[in-house]
Amino acid sequence: MVLGEGHQRFIQTMMIRGIVNEQEAKTLHHHCCEVHKEHYVADKLEEFIQVVNSKLESLNMQIRTRASEDDGMTCYALVNTANNELTRMSSDYADNELELFRRTLDLIMSSDDSTASSTDILNMADSLQTRKLTKSAAECLLKRLVSDDWLVEKQGDYSLSTRCVMDMEPYIRTMYDDEQVKVCYVCHCLAFKCQICANPLCTVKIHNPCAEKYFKKKPVQRCPGCSELWPNEVREGRQSVSQRQR
Amino acid sequence: GKEKASQLFSEGLSFDPSTFVQHTLSFMGLNWLEEEGESSDEGAATSHGSLPRNAWRRLARRAEACFRSTPAFHFMYGSFQAEPPPPKPRVE
Amino acid sequence: TSQVQKGMEKLTKAQIDEKTTELVQYILMKDQKKIPIKRADIVKNVLKEYKNVFPEIMNRVQQRFEQVFGFKVVEIDTKNHVYILINKLEPAEGSEMTSGNPKTGLLFVILSLVYMKGGVVPEGLVWNTLKKMRVDPGERHPEFGDVKKLVTDEFVRQRYLEYTKVPHTEPVKYDFTWGQRAEVEVSKHKILEFLGELHSQDPQRWSQQYKDASSQRSSRAPQPSTSSQR
Ligand SMILES: [Zn+2]
Ligand SMILES: [Zn+2]
């Protein structure tokens, strides 16, 4: 299968955007076919992406699909699938900046609500093994990580962006143990923003959108793992991909 | 008059950097009215007025059409070592 | 070339594919900052013991870039073997499709100025023009940071600009000209078109520049432009 210019433009736009939601992906699919006067079938986005991936995968790249933890909407992200000597030469961040990011990830993974406070992050800046960062340099770095769409900041607390979760999933699954890697009971994907069973002995976690779907038709909401009554939390989904500011 | 015009045409218009700056600033959304009591018809006005925050980005978006730049691929996975986690004896 | 063939025969298809993938990755990473890639660095960091089959691997890499991404690999300096990527697809329109990097705006102003003033411009004219646009090389700019460094170092390393000493000047003076990347990546025609829009006038009236732009268009064919020194 040969890629047309429409596929190529799709890849190029994904390089710029990093991540798009389902609606944006559909619009982009349409746009790319239209600009290059290529055959367009409205409901064939998945097939279109399969064709693109068939070429990208041999170059250690991929368009990965995942449901957003906020609204359950499908997201598409262009990710790198290789970790080797060459990819580690990537020029976006310096060694000590990457170390601070990695240690922020440690904090996020070991916290209950998958966030890290800015104070805790900044406190690590002068104890980095590579080379310490000044507080103001660390603050700048956090801003950059947010504007590059790796972290999300809310009232001084940092969490992983959907794009970051998608990109870093293989890393997270190999680097952290089962206690730290939370997985959704319903969809089996990594779970950061999720509801947790009230029973302290039970480990069931469910994404908000997955919980909504799962409990929808059930007269009584019980944990699928331990049958404990499920706390009827209604957490509002916040910040979808399209609302994000570049 | 006509002769002069065609002569001008064959040599080409000269390019005046100050005029260029004024037109470009307008394109970038310069607000000439911000400064009171200044007429904006002379070159002097270029040092007044205020530029919106996204001014350079606005110019960039249009200017990109002149460039055959390639978009860059950015990633986080693969940027640093993924050494296996410290051995933690656990019961499977 | 027969030596290259002999070298290729010793390699398995998997080995060749692996090196091709690695080189694509390497070039994409260097392109993150728009730094041109030297053949010597490719050999040192990627090809290593495969050095002797460089042309064949590079061929495959070029094909991948064209077929998958719609990019073209161009050798901008045939003497030192320096490569850049340029886009084969027409520039996109619409804010979601473009990155809108403010630096491109700054670059546009400088490249336009140099081009419209005949190809060589003393640095003073560039600094004065930028100052009128509230970008002072002596001050930190909120978007561009250290402006002088951006223009005389980053843009020069990316080969958008050349910044050269004027011989026999005391104190030393510098001129700006277009760099080799600009010659290949930037369309003079499109610059003129945009300038025409800005000035509300027919770009053909800048007849000298218009003639020159047409020659860029016709020479833009496959072979890399051997840097046109002006
Ligand atoms: Zn789920
Ligand atoms: Zn439970």
Side-chain angles (χ1 to χ4, degrees):
Chain A
M1 185 83 200
V2 178
L3 297 192
E5 290 187 333
H7 296 106
Q8 295 171 356
R9 190 172 294 277
F10 193 89
I11 294 174
Q12 289 196 11
T13 312
M14 288 302 296
M15 290 171 88
I16 293 170
R17 302 287 308 274
I19 183 169
V20 294
N21 67 28
E22 194 168 355
Q23 200 43 56
E24 292 165 329
K26 282 179 178 164
T27 311
L28 181 60
H29 175 209
H30 184 209
H31 169 86
C32 290
C33 292
E34 202 177 51
V35 168
H36 296 285
K37 301 188 176 60
E38 283 170 9
H39 183 61
Y40 168 71
V41 190
D43 292 320
K44 298 287 182 199
L45 174 64
E46 295 305 325
E47 283 85 340
F48 186 84
I49 287 178
Q50 259 174 33
V51 172
V52 165
N53 274 342
S54 71
K55 292 293 172 189
L56 284 180
E57 276 160 10
S58 63
L59 299 172
N60 296 336
M61 292 165 79
Q62 188 187 28
I63 292 176
R64 203 171 274 165
T65 309
R66 186 189 205 270
S68 149
E69 294 191 324
D70 298 308
D71 53 17
M73 232 210 275
T74 310
C75 293
Y76 301 90
L78 179 66
V79 301
N80 165 45
T81 60
N83 187 337
N84 55 39
E85 225 179 290
L86 282 172
T87 59
R88 269 173 251 134
M89 289 167 66
S90 163
S91 58
D92 280 342
Y93 297 97
D95 277 358
N96 52 349
E97 294 174 330
L98 287 172
E99 191 191 343
L100 189 65
F101 174 79
R102 211 168 38 74
R103 294 184 59 180
T104 302
L105 189 56
D106 287 344
L107 286 182
I108 290 173
M109 292 306 295
S110 52
S111 80
D112 287 337
D113 60 354
S114 303
T115 64
S117 76
S118 62
T119 338
D120 289 347
I121 299 171
L122 294 176
N123 281 340
M124 300 186 300
D126 58 2
S127 62
L128 297 177
Q129 282 172 5
T130 40
R131 192 160 38 88
K132 63 178 174 182
L133 280 163
T134 63
K135 206 148 250 184
S136 70
E139 275 167 354
C140 272
L141 171 66
L142 284 176
K143 265 190 205 141
R144 240 177 94 208
L145 286 164
V146 170
S147 80
D148 290 349
D149 197 18
W150 301 117
L151 293 180
V152 173
E153 190 263 348
K154 213 186 173 199
Q155 287 157 354
D157 285 335
Y158 289 84
S159 57
L160 301 184
S161 68
T162 306
R163 179 191 184 191
C164 189
V165 173
M166 293 172 81
D167 183 84
M168 291 291 286
E169 176 156 359
Y171 178 87
I172 290 168
R173 286 192 188 262
T174 50
M175 295 298 285
Y176 298 98
D177 58 37
D178 292 351
E179 268 168 56
Q180 292 171 303
V181 179
K182 305 182 184 88
V183 174
C184 172
Y185 187 90
V186 176
C187 71
H188 309 292
C189 289
L190 290 182
F192 291 89
K193 288 172 208 158
C194 55
Q195 303 178 12
I196 299 165
C197 179
N199 175 0
L201 297 172
C202 174
T203 57
V204 168
K205 284 135 196 127
I206 307 181
H207 287 124
N208 301 338
C210 292
E212 216 170 279
K213 256 183 261 165
Y214 184 82
F215 292 124
K216 206 175 183 177
K217 287 186 189 122
K218 307 232 167 20
V220 193
Q221 300 187 1
R222 285 187 181 282
C223 171
C226 69
S227 302
E228 182 96 355
L229 272 178
W230 191 265
N232 195 8
E233 286 177 73
V234 183
R235 288 192 212 161
E236 268 184 53
R238 24 167 237 236
Q239 224 210 8
S240 76
V241 173
S242 59
Q243 287 164 331
R244 211 187 62 234
Q245 293 251 322
R246 261 221 63 144
Chain B
K2 211 174 197 177
E3 202 176 87
K4 205 175 175 192
S6 72
Q7 194 191 343
L8 190 73
F9 191 82
S10 72
E11 284 173 4
L13 276 183
S14 70
F15 183 80
D16 175 37
S18 300
T19 318
F20 167 56
V21 165
Q22 282 199 37
H23 288 311
T24 309
L25 285 173
S26 302
F27 181 89
M28 290 162 80
L30 184 81
N31 186 357
W32 297 103
L33 300 173
E34 196 99 319
E35 225 76 11
E36 296 231 325
E38 264 288 350
S39 66
S40 59
D41 51 325
E42 285 306 313
T46 45
S47 53
H48 301 282
S50 67
L51 274 179
R53 263 189 57 212
N54 65 348
W56 282 100
R57 184 156 289 221
R58 188 163 169 182
L59 180 63
R61 286 206 196 284
R62 172 61 184 84
E64 271 176 9
C66 309
F67 289 69
R68 296 231 161 203
S69 304
T70 50
F73 175 45
H74 299 280
F75 54 87
M76 188 56 84
Y77 178 77
S79 305
F80 40 82
Q81 201 97 38
E83 67 262 26
K88 226 188 215 177
R90 271 194 299 134
V91 194
E92 291 295 304
Chain C
T1 28
S2 71
Q3 246 181 333
V4 176
Q5 267 162 11
K6 253 185 229 161
M8 289 297 281
E9 279 160 17
K10 282 191 207 142
L11 301 173
T12 65
K13 190 183 172 295
Q15 285 173 313
I16 295 165
D17 284 346
E18 197 194 333
K19 280 294 152 191
T20 306
T21 299
E22 284 181 12
L23 186 48
V24 168
Q25 253 176 359
Y26 181 75
I27 293 176
L28 278 178
M29 265 161 34
K30 289 287 149 188
D31 194 53
Q32 285 177 334
K33 289 200 166 161
K34 294 285 163 217
I35 304 294
I37 304 127
K38 295 193 191 90
R39 183 164 85 178
D41 287 335
I42 291 177
V43 169
K44 193 179 109 200
N45 294 309
V46 188
L47 293 189
K48 296 169 188 171
E49 68 273 21
Y50 295 73
K51 183 184 170 180
N52 56 333
V53 291
F54 174 88
E56 190 55 41
I57 303 273
M58 197 58 173
N59 256 340
R60 280 158 204 261
V61 165
Q62 271 164 338
Q63 271 180 25
R64 295 285 197 289
F65 274 121
E66 298 209 6
Q67 291 166 355
V68 181
F69 298 95
F71 295 172
K72 192 170 167 57
V73 183
V74 181
E75 188 174 6
I76 50 167
D77 178 346
T78 45
K79 207 175 101 210
N80 300 303
H81 304 293
V82 178
Y83 302 87
I84 61 164
L85 290 178
I86 62 166
N87 207 332
K88 285 180 74 190
L89 302 185
E90 278 296 312
E93 279 163 48
S95 56
E96 322 79 55
M97 311 291 172
T98 54
S99 48
N101 184 348
K103 288 177 185 172
T104 310
L106 191 69
L107 205 45
F108 164 76
V109 169
I110 302 170
L111 289 174
S112 297
L113 188 66
V114 173
Y115 181 54
M116 298 308 280
K117 287 312 241 178
V120 192
V121 145
E123 64 172 331
L125 181 58
V126 170
W127 303 135
N128 280 334
T129 304
L130 293 185
K131 268 184 210 161
K132 286 183 199 158
M133 304 188 74
R134 292 96 208 273
V135 179
D136 193 322
E139 285 169 25
R140 234 191 129 68
H141 187 273
E143 272 167 299
F144 305 129
D146 184 339
V147 178
K148 176 124 193 212
K149 188 163 176 246
L150 172 63
V151 176
T152 62
D153 183 63
E154 190 173 319
F155 289 165
V156 170
R157 272 190 298 130
Q158 294 172 330
R159 313 256 183 135
Y160 279 111
L161 292 173
E162 272 174 36
Y163 183 63
T164 41
K165 263 187 202 154
V166 183
H168 318 298
T169 49
E170 188 62 46
V172 181
K173 285 183 179 147
Y174 287 86
D175 280 340
F176 280 108
T177 49
W178 277 32
Q180 291 155 317
R181 179 192 285 274
E183 295 285 351
V184 186
E185 191 187 294
V186 182
S187 158
K188 290 172 177 170
H189 243 279
K190 295 213 164 139
I191 292 258
L192 278 172
E193 225 171 75
F194 185 19
L195 290 174
E197 271 171 49
L198 288 172
H199 291 73
S200 318
Q201 103 191 353
D202 182 355
Q204 291 203 42
R205 293 189 61 201
W206 290 297
S207 50
Q208 293 295 329
Q209 291 89 340
Y210 197 83
K211 229 184 284 168
D212 184 71
S214 304
S215 73
Q216 181 195 30
R217 199 180 246 178
S218 50
S219 70
R220 183 160 243 181
Q223 88 274 58
S225 70
T226 25
S227 61
S228 52
Q229 295 291 349
R230 275 169 302 186

